[in-house]
Amino acid sequence: MKNYKGVFVFAQQVDNKLSGISFELIGEGKRLADKLNEKVTAVLIGSDVKGLVDELAEYGADRVIVVDDPELKEYRTEPYAHALASVINEYKPEIVLVGATAIGRDLGPTVSARVATGLTADCTLLEIGDFPLVALPNQEQKHNQLLMTRPAFGGNTIATIACPDNRPQMATVRPGVMQKLDRVAGKKAEVIEYNPGFTPNNKYVEILEISKAVSDIKDIMDAKILVSGGRGVGSAENFKLLDDLAEVLGGQVSCSRAVVDSGWKPKELQVGQTGKTVRPQVYFAIGISGAIQHVAGMEESDIIIAINKDEDAPIFDVADYGVVGDLNKIVPALTEAIKAELANK
């Protein structure tokens, strides 16, 4: 195990464009690597992707390992798993981080099985520390372990998991949870080109056609202001109140899982443990009770404003500002007040 060094992150790209989670993982990987006095390495897998190396370097990667092959043009489980597992076996990283995206949730477990290690899925916090957390009699306490924290049992508790006896220590990380570093223009990284060789076999899926859905829904993870509604809004039609407020503020509407389950809003707008993690400057929680599953997706917002008729709603425990009352009266009044204020400027 002493031969395993450094922090590796899977730099996900689609259509030769790096995904935002790649930069978030580099930022988090850098923080962990600094604690271990090691470097962070981005693993870039694809076809004709060498032009993305500089961008990874500018966001903090000390080294970039490029696996470039025509077989890697589109994501397929077998060639990508072969590529990443081969990199791990060759370079022996101590920690491997993968984004908990549709691709990462398929790739991470497949690779962890191939390199005979464990994987903690959907992590929301990573730290370097001791395992066990508290020293126990007659049991060795190991230091500099990756402590991986994730919601468990439907979000009703938080579990911290370690992998003390196998390497690498692997985790998938939810998009939007970790912070990317500021981009440093012109920064360079060591580049290694590595190709384990790809021989198609009966595990290689043949892609016959790629059909991309066209959506005019903006990604709520990019919003600076979110006006989010829950079951308490009452109906799909009543979301017009939130639409009006969001329009005045120059923000976007989002929602809780209960709203999606009721068919009032599409899944793309869901905030929470089973939705998206957001970090807007201002987050309005309107008619949202504040279950832990929802709070997990928005608690890092700069300012949280809650409107709810139930004064005991858990959302008030995380809100910076709270208003108890009927949202059908409060939201329109707030919208009009903001309109008037803007008109006077």
Side-chain angles (χ1 to χ4, degrees):
M1 288 174 57
K2 292 181 179 179
N3 294 327
Y4 288 80
K5 302 289 184 183
V7 179
F8 281 32
V9 304
F10 170 62
Q12 178 179 311
Q13 58 79 29
V14 178
D15 295 335
N16 284 43
K17 181 180 179 181
L18 288 164
S19 304
I21 184 64
S22 301
F23 308 128
E24 295 170 15
L25 291 183
I26 290 173
E28 182 65 9
K30 186 75 170 174
R31 186 179 69 84
L32 297 173
D34 286 346
K35 292 187 176 183
L36 296 169
N37 197 28
E38 296 288 346
K39 294 182 178 181
V40 60
T41 298
V43 182
L44 178 61
I45 300 173
S47 178
D48 295 324
V49 293
K50 297 174 186 175
L52 303 177
V53 168
D54 287 344
E55 193 174 1
L56 293 170
E58 290 177 346
Y59 274 103
D62 298 308
R63 181 173 64 170
V64 181
I65 296 176
V66 182
V67 185
D68 197 304
D69 194 278
E71 290 290 347
L72 303 167
K73 183 172 177 58
E74 283 90 20
Y75 176 78
R76 292 177 294 168
T77 304
E78 181 60 29
Y80 268 68
H82 173 58
L84 186 54
S86 297
V87 167
I88 291 172
N89 289 330
E90 178 71 19
Y91 294 96
K92 293 182 169 48
E94 185 174 7
I95 295 171
V96 175
L97 305 180
V98 178
T101 61
I103 287 175
R105 285 173 170 159
D106 177 66
L107 179 64
T110 305
V111 171
S112 70
R114 292 195 183 188
V115 299
T117 192
L119 179 138
T120 303
D122 269 359
C123 293
T124 56
L125 178 67
L126 300 172
E127 289 294 346
I128 301 298
D130 299 331
F131 181 83
L133 299 176
V134 179
L136 300 175
N138 303 318
Q139 183 174 342
E140 177 189 4
Q141 187 178 40
K142 297 185 178 183
H143 308 294
N144 290 332
Q145 303 295 302
L146 180 63
L147 305 180
M148 300 164 279
T149 300
R150 68 178 306 275
F153 296 103
N156 292 314
T157 189
I158 300 296
T160 298
I161 300 167
C163 182
D165 300 322
N166 295 81
R167 291 296 182 268
Q169 302 162 98
M170 288 189 67
T172 59
V173 179
R174 290 193 57 172
V177 173
M178 305 305 178
Q179 296 275 29
K180 65 182 179 182
L181 301 174
D182 292 333
R183 188 171 186 171
V184 180
K187 184 178 181 296
K188 298 296 181 181
E190 176 190 357
V191 179
I192 298 175
E193 295 185 20
Y194 175 77
N195 192 319
F198 295 87
T199 303
N201 55 36
N202 60 2
K203 296 179 183 178
Y204 275 51
V205 172
E206 180 184 357
I207 298 177
L208 300 180
E209 181 183 357
I210 297 176
S211 179
K212 296 187 178 181
V214 178
S215 174
D216 58 359
I217 298 176
K218 295 181 180 178
D219 192 345
I220 60 174
M221 293 176 66
D222 298 328
K224 300 298 182 184
I225 299 174
L226 281 175
V227 180
S228 200
R231 193 195 307 274
V233 173
S235 67
E237 293 73 23
N238 220 29
F239 259 86
K240 178 67 166 58
L241 300 177
L242 278 63
D243 293 333
D244 292 343
L245 178 58
E247 183 178 354
V248 169
L249 292 168
Q252 290 179 238
V253 167
S254 55
C255 64
S256 68
R257 177 174 177 173
V259 170
V260 174
D261 289 345
S262 298
W264 300 348
K265 288 292 179 183
K267 175 76 172 178
E268 294 95 324
L269 299 182
Q270 182 184 329
V271 174
Q273 183 181 321
T274 56
K276 293 184 178 180
T277 299
V278 296
R279 294 172 178 263
Q281 294 174 353
V282 182
Y283 186 88
F284 285 86
I286 301 174
I288 293 174
S289 64
I292 189 172
Q293 291 91 337
H294 183 81
V295 171
M298 45 66 76
E299 61 185 339
E300 294 299 323
S301 304
D302 293 343
I303 297 174
I304 299 172
I305 302 169
I307 301 173
N308 201 295
K309 65 180 181 181
D310 180 6
E311 62 181 14
D312 296 322
I315 193 66
F316 290 122
D317 294 335
V318 297
D320 298 289
Y321 303 95
V323 181
V324 178
D326 184 355
L327 66 86
N328 294 288
K329 297 177 180 178
I330 295 170
V331 175
L334 178 60
T335 301
E336 292 304 316
I338 293 172
K339 281 183 181 179
E341 183 69 22
L342 292 175
N344 292 329
K345 288 187 177 181

